Amino acid sequence: KNIHTLSRKGLEKDHPQIAAFLRNFQMNTRQLANLMEMFAQSNDWENAAEQWCADNAELIDQWMPERQA
């Protein structure tokens, strides 16, 4: 029921943007189910991923530290 993020010591220092992304990443059950459904219904996963990203740009912006400025 939960997805946990793990990283290595020093990640924050070596890659602060990646560390910020991992801290910011959150999906609720509805969002995750929607993503999984898009993949389940598609034969073209790359296109499904691109479509999901386009449909959920505001959510993705919340995860991206450089887009929060």
Side-chain angles (χ1 to χ4, degrees):
K1 290 193 170 195
N2 295 311
I3 297 174
H4 300 276
T5 302
L6 301 174
S7 68
R8 63 172 175 78
K9 286 185 178 182
L11 180 68
E12 178 75 37
K13 179 182 170 208
D14 296 341
H15 303 283
Q17 296 238 330
I18 293 171
F21 171 83
L22 294 173
R23 266 194 316 278
N24 295 340
F25 180 83
Q26 291 185 9
M27 291 179 84
N28 62 36
T29 303
R30 181 187 54 77
Q31 292 161 334
L32 182 57
N34 179 264
L35 175 62
M36 293 172 65
E37 183 68 22
M38 285 189 81
F39 281 111
Q41 293 180 357
S42 178
N43 293 327
D44 182 351
W45 287 8
E46 184 175 344
N47 186 47
E50 288 174 1
Q51 184 61 52
W52 189 89
C53 287
D55 293 347
N56 292 276
E58 288 182 28
L59 175 65
I60 294 169
D61 284 346
Q62 294 173 17
W63 303 337
M64 309 300 280
E66 69 274 4
R67 295 186 189 179
Q68 295 177 355

